Amino acid sequence: MLTALLIVLAITACLGIALYFQIKASRKQAGEQEQLLKDYQQRVDEQQKLLDDYRALEKNFDSVGEGYEQALLAFDKMEEEQQKNKQINEALEKRCNALQEQCDHLQQHALKSGEVIDQALASMREIAKQTANNKLAALIGKISDMDDVEGQKAIGRTDNILVSQVADEAIAASGVDNISYLKFEKQVDPVAAATMLSTNLVKAVRALTHLLDNALKFTTEGSVTLKVAVDMEKMQAIYTVEDTGAGIEEPEQEHIFEPYVKLNQFFDGQGIGLTVARSIARRLEGDVVLDTTYEGPGSRFVLTLPI
């Protein structure tokens, strides 16, 4: 009986152990199946993502294709515009070349005309000088002034004369020494009287004449004084014109050298005298300035020319 019981217990224990290992194996198999399922699902998800990416790429490719076609159309249009612009540029270049040739021709013609006019004026000056025709001399001066208003070309300094000669001829041209209602005085420094000046006599005289004419216009009584000196350090001849006239107000001092500016509309003239005087002086490598430190009465202008 005891033996049978032991046998039964032994069989039961074996069955229990076998059942335990069977359950453990089943759980292990279930875990493996669950892991396989997870791996499968992950692969499915990855494939879905790849599919989505492919569809997105396919869509982008379609868009790129459309953009490429639009880019080709734009490029073709741009090439067409470039061809049109090239034709326009070529036409403009031809036109510019033609205009440049015309300008060169006109410039050469102007130079030749200027030379002819200069020669004619020189001849007329000689005639006026020989015949003492002041009206003709004045007319020649006015014609020359129009070229000197905005002249840019340097004036050749071809005359070697005494510094005082410019003053003497300007006095004669302006007639300032023959005005009955004014006192005129010429003051020449002894050094200046013996100093030579390299300049253009006609132009230098014209510049100083304008300064004397300006003094006459604005001085109805009193005096006009012309001072002639030299500065050997600066190598300059200095012509100073002082008058006891109306003077120049400070706001107007900045504009008096501008062309066609007239401080008094009742006086004759075109308002270019001071402009011409400065233009000539600067083209002779000198200058004309208004001395703003002059206390007056009247005004003081200074013409400087290189010796």
Side-chain angles (χ1 to χ4, degrees), residues 198-297:
S198 175
T199 189
N200 182 300
L201 178 59
V202 172
K203 293 297 186 180
V205 168
R206 192 63 187 162
L208 184 55
T209 300
H210 275 301
L211 297 186
L212 293 172
D213 286 341
N214 184 74
L216 287 176
K217 285 181 181 179
F218 293 97
T219 308
T220 56
E221 60 180 3
S223 64
V224 174
T225 303
L226 171 60
K227 298 178 181 180
V228 183
V230 292
D231 185 334
M232 298 308 294
E233 291 185 1
K234 295 182 179 180
M235 296 297 290
Q236 288 181 336
I238 304 172
Y239 303 89
T240 304
V241 178
E242 298 176 358
D243 64 65
T244 59
I248 301 172
E249 297 294 333
E250 186 174 351
E252 297 171 332
Q253 293 176 359
E254 299 179 1
H255 307 291
I256 57 174
F257 290 103
E258 296 176 4
Y260 310 109
V261 172
K262 298 179 67 174
L263 300 183
N264 192 324
Q265 299 298 324
F266 294 101
F267 290 115
D268 293 333
Q270 298 173 302
I272 61 174
L274 294 176
T275 307
V276 171
R278 173 174 277 185
S279 172
I280 290 173
R282 290 183 173 179
R283 290 156 62 205
L284 287 170
E285 300 180 37
D287 204 357
V288 171
V289 297
L290 170 67
D291 186 354
T292 56
T293 65
Y294 185 60
E295 296 181 356

Side-chain angles (χ1 to χ4, degrees), residues 56-72:
L57 288 172
E58 188 177 33
K59 185 176 181 181
N60 290 335
F61 181 78
D62 292 338
S63 299
V64 169
E66 293 177 0
Y68 179 72
E69 291 178 358
Q70 293 177 357
L72 285 177

